[in-house]
Amino acid sequence: MAAAAVLGLSTAATGVALTGPADAADPAGGSGTTRQATSDVRSSSGADTSTAILRLSRDPVATDPSTAPAAGKGLALGTTKARNVRARLAAQRNDLRAWLRGNAPAATVVGEYDIALNGVAVRLNGTPLATLAGAPGVAQAGYAATYAPSVTDPDLERIDAEAAWAIAEPGAPTRAGEGVRIGIVDTGIDATHPCFRATGYPAQKQLGDTRFTNDKVVVARVFANKAAQQGLTPEAVQDHGTHVAGTAACNPRTPASVDGAKIPYAPSGVAPRALLGNYNVFPGDIDNARSEDILDALQAAAEDGMQVLNMSLGGSASGNQDLLTTAVDNLDRANIVVAVAGGNEGPGHFTIGSPGSAERALTAGASSVGHYTGVPVYAGTAATGTPVSVTATGDFAIPTTPLTGTLVPAGGTSALAFGDGCEAGDFTASTTGAIALVARGTCSFGTKVATAEKAGAVGTIVVNNVPGDPVAMAADAAAPATIPAVMAPYADATELAGLAGGPVTIGVTPAYVDSGNDDIMGDFSSQGPTDVSYRVKPDVTAPGVNILSSLPQSFCDPLPAEGCWGFMQGTSMATPHLAGSAAVVRQAHPGWSAAQVRSALVNTSATGVLKQSTAVTALETDPLVTGSGLEDLDAAVGARLALSSVSTSFGAVPSGSGQALTRTLTVTNLTAAPVTTPVSVTGDPAFRVSASTLTVPAGGSARLTLTYAPGKATTTGDRSATLRLGSVAHSVLYAFAR
């Protein structure tokens, strides 16, 4: 059996993180446009003790008896009465200023108000607040509060997670997933991160190496050949598993920052109160796991009572001889939901890996969340130039002071107006002391930056080669680089190319960018069908591009008060969305089988929303790319019907044979009331269904016969259709005509 590797792109450059090929296989990027939040504001961090607000005793214009407007009328500020009131208020504020000069000379008035509030803002400069509270005419004194936009978590918003929480845990939505155990088969979980702080959790029996557990992360075990002899532990030395675990079950409303950029919302895991198990199959710096170690981890997780497993890993599929896929199928039969990464080998059909190819795996494809953190790039200098791009930061250095240099394009192959910079010959002597402009593609990010550095560049701007947001680039241990490097969106390629030969500046102040580039399929996301059996995979798509989550605390130096956070991309990042979602569904419906949970998540997904990775204005309609659609968690929690197979494949059918094939689908009613729904098939007319309506009794089941009858004139290739049970459920039908 093939070894398996983690399927995250980390801050990713490679197609399969830790073992993968060049960055051409990693995720898509995009526009740097900032979208302003439109929601209300809320107090975010308490008080600003450097400034005070003093309310004075006289009524402001809005409520003074002589100027307060009548019902249905507005303030009339141009009247004589209003001018008189404002003059009296100004006189009171002037009296306060005079008092401050004599009694609190360090305090400085920095703002004055007379309409909604009669008062002043005062910079204290060491003056005690109590001193100002006793000033003549002061009715109230308090420190200034700080506020921030009340922004919805854009990651959870993509799958309607918070709406699902309200259904799964009415009255206490942030307790979603409570009591459900998710096993993370990965690189370990850093239990010291605020995401996994055990405060408020009841005491749990902790298993394995309890140096790395608490009452949130309740298991820590290591699986590797000769682990004991090599001194390997479950400790999260690598970042992948901690990131995955945070997406699945980070504690609710955990504040975050990335590279000094404050995140304007407090992230939560999909199942924020779920418990976690750390099954480390990539301990230390091991980046390939043997199938026997993974099987050991799966067995231990089952013995430890895990109800959901997350496997953000994969290797080459080997059809019906693949015993790891058999293990996954059997765990599902044993009522353990197993979420598995589809792989990062896309684009292209037949790229699904193992064990994501397992029939009963809940296999994830990856789509985008439109946000990232980055630093500005200016045409000219930071002081006098024009901002032209907001560039994503990643593993590479960012400047500590604005970095200015002549912009010099690289040579090499690329679809952009400049090259990929993968070879030393792609850089000329003019690169010395310059900022290199490089296209994404062909080789790893580390190779590009290291090659530019060897040519004398002082910085590198890599430009994305696909639409959407830029991504956080991963460094490459095989090609170490020390110069600053950032990624610009594809949308900025033309403007940046036009600046070649002139000065540009990479800025230093990181910012959070909400771009709105959501629901774009990751160009790296592996596609079906599976080998040999021609099953539809992935089953469903979840957010997997530019995913913000926890990193081991050791990955940040200095360590922010909020803990260590970062963006990653890959089907690894989509998978824990499904694992966390399975936990939420299991909490809401503890009597459902693993197969019914899978069906709820797959067969209620949102259709008609995912966009093509190469043409983001066009919808992606190929089910071998998207599976059933984009996960919709609140719809899954409210699922009414479960299908015996989340999709139906007729396999490989000889073209022109005139052969007609049938399959039987069992539909189970998950509710206590009968469900009657219309039944239809849309798409290739060779697919048909035996009924136009279906009634499924309460708690019972009914059967449908599905037929694929292409006739003799069929050409070769993929054939698909969608079975729809009204608005209740839908499923992909597929055949490969050969």
Side-chain angles (χ1 to χ4, degrees):
M1 293 170 64
V6 224
L7 283 182
L9 299 178
S10 182
T11 44
T14 57
V16 179
L18 310 185
T19 59
D23 79 356
D26 92 303
S31 164
T33 303
T34 301
R35 187 179 64 194
Q36 185 174 356
T38 56
S39 51
D40 66 330
V41 294
R42 59 179 171 81
S43 179
S44 64
S45 57
D48 173 8
T49 56
S50 66
T51 303
I53 303 295
L54 308 183
R55 180 175 66 84
L56 305 186
S57 58
R58 289 185 178 273
D59 289 331
V61 175
T63 59
D64 187 282
S66 65
T67 52
K73 302 293 184 179
L75 281 171
L77 297 178
T79 64
T80 300
K81 288 183 178 180
R83 287 193 291 270
N84 290 339
V85 169
R86 300 187 85 169
R88 289 196 296 270
L89 298 179
Q92 188 178 32
R93 295 195 301 275
N94 286 337
D95 289 344
L96 175 64
R97 283 177 180 273
W99 186 89
L100 291 174
R101 286 193 294 270
N103 298 275
T108 305
V109 174
V110 294
E112 299 188 33
Y113 323 99
D114 66 358
I115 296 178
L117 183 78
N118 173 25
V120 296
V122 178
R123 184 78 64 193
L124 295 173
N125 297 322
T127 304
L129 183 64
T131 298
L132 303 187
V138 173
Q140 184 180 359
Y143 292 118
T146 56
Y147 293 80
S150 179
V151 181
T152 301
D153 185 327
D155 190 345
L156 299 182
E157 188 177 26
R158 303 315 328 134
I159 62 171
D160 289 345
E162 297 201 33
W165 295 354
I167 302 170
E169 189 64 32
T174 55
R175 301 188 79 85
E178 189 164 51
V180 180
R181 294 176 172 236
I182 304 174
I184 307 295
V185 183
D186 213 291
T187 68
I189 304 171
D190 183 358
T192 68
H193 194 283
C195 261
F196 314 115
R197 190 171 286 135
T199 304
Y201 285 84
Q204 304 287 334
K205 183 178 181 180
Q206 296 171 32
L207 304 174
D209 191 335
T210 55
R211 291 176 297 170
F212 306 102
T213 63
N214 58 21
D215 290 327
K216 168 77 171 181
V217 181
V218 296
V219 180
R221 302 188 188 277
V222 63
F223 304 88
N225 187 32
K226 298 181 180 178
Q229 295 91 319
Q230 297 176 31
L232 299 173
T233 73
E235 182 182 8
V237 175
Q238 301 176 59
D239 55 354
H240 192 271
T242 298
H243 196 278
V244 164
T247 296
C250 180
N251 285 330
R253 312 287 190 246
T254 305
S257 66
V258 177
D259 293 331
K262 181 74 175 176
I263 302 302
Y265 62 92
S268 304
V270 178
R273 287 284 291 189
L275 301 178
L276 291 164
N278 167 9
Y279 299 89
N280 192 340
V281 296
F282 302 98
D285 60 0
I286 291 175
D287 58 12
N288 281 282
R290 303 177 310 148
S291 52
E292 53 264 47
D293 294 327
I294 296 172
L295 288 168
D296 282 341
L298 296 179
Q299 174 140 330
E303 291 174 338
D304 292 340
M306 296 293 140
Q307 297 149 285
V308 178
L309 294 178
N310 189 96
M311 299 178 71
S312 290
L313 49 80
S316 299
S318 53
N320 296 333
Q321 304 304 311
D322 192 329
L323 295 182
L324 192 55
T325 64
T326 301
V328 168
D329 287 342
N330 288 340
L331 287 173
D332 181 85
R333 292 184 178 97
N335 213 28
I336 299 172
V337 179
V338 187
V340 186
N344 302 330
E345 302 302 322
H349 286 186
F350 294 99
T351 51
I352 288 288
S354 166
S357 54
E359 179 180 6
R360 299 172 77 101
L362 180 58
T363 306
S367 60
S368 68
V369 179
H371 67 161
Y372 62 99
T373 55
V375 294
V377 168
Y378 301 88
T381 67
T384 62
T386 302
V388 294
S389 184
V390 179
T391 57
T393 55
D395 282 355
F396 296 96
I398 57 175
T400 55
T401 59
L403 177 64
T404 301
T406 301
L407 188 66
V408 175
T413 59
S414 170
L416 303 181
F418 38 89
D420 56 21
C422 291
E423 305 290 339
D426 294 339
F427 298 95
T428 65
S430 62
T431 306
T432 301
I435 294 175
L437 181 65
V438 178
R440 177 182 174 186
T442 309
C443 62
S444 73
F445 296 130
T447 298
K448 296 174 188 294
V449 180
T451 304
E453 183 173 11
K454 288 177 183 177
V458 296
T460 304
I461 300 173
V462 179
V463 181
N464 208 349
N465 59 0
V466 290
D469 290 338
V471 299
M473 298 185 295
D476 185 345
T482 62
I483 61 173
V486 294
M487 179 184 276
Y490 173 83
D492 297 342
T494 300
E495 187 168 7
L496 285 167
L499 299 175
V504 298
T505 300
I506 301 175
V508 298
T509 306
Y512 173 84
V513 178
D514 181 356
S515 69
N517 288 319
D518 300 312
D519 305 334
I520 302 168
M521 286 302 304
D523 65 336
F524 59 88
S525 190
S526 288
Q527 303 172 12
T530 62
D531 61 349
V532 182
S533 58
Y534 294 88
R535 285 189 291 269
V536 175
K537 291 287 178 173
D539 294 305
V540 66
T541 293
V545 178
N546 280 358
I547 304 305
L548 175 65
S549 188
S550 47
L551 298 176
Q553 301 286 69
S554 61
F555 275 65
C556 288
D557 184 18
L559 179 65
E562 300 90 350
C564 193
W565 296 79
F567 288 85
M568 289 189 183
Q569 39 277 327
T571 53
S572 277
M573 283 61 254
T575 308
H577 284 84
L578 299 185
S581 295
V584 173
V585 175
R586 299 214 86 155
Q587 177 199 22
H589 303 286
W592 287 6
S593 69
Q596 289 170 337
V597 173
R598 277 192 297 111
S599 178
L601 289 166
V602 174
N603 300 125
T604 63
S605 60
T607 59
V609 296
L610 291 167
K611 303 161 196 169
Q612 295 180 11
S613 62
T614 55
V616 298
T617 57
L619 293 178
E620 180 57 78
T621 59
D622 184 350
L624 298 176
V625 177
T626 65
S628 64
L630 178 64
E631 182 204 350
D632 187 351
L633 182 51
D634 65 328
V637 171
R640 299 163 62 198
L641 298 176
L643 309 186
S644 56
S645 176
V646 296
S647 61
T648 300
S649 173
F650 291 84
V653 181
S655 177
S657 66
Q659 187 176 1
L661 301 175
T662 61
R663 299 285 188 269
T664 300
L665 185 69
T666 301
V667 182
T668 301
N669 188 341
L670 299 170
T671 75
V675 174
T676 298
T677 178
V679 180
S680 63
V681 173
T682 57
D684 192 319
F687 295 93
R688 300 167 196 153
V689 63
S690 59
S692 58
T693 61
L694 183 70
T695 296
V696 189
S701 61
R703 291 186 175 184
L704 290 171
T705 300
L706 303 170
T707 303
Y708 176 63
K712 293 188 175 183
T714 304
T715 57
T716 60
D718 301 302
R719 298 287 178 267
S720 65
T722 302
L723 170 69
R724 295 193 179 278
L725 304 179
S727 60
V728 181
H730 63 272
S731 178
V732 176
L733 311 180
Y734 174 75
F736 182 76
R738 63 182 180 186

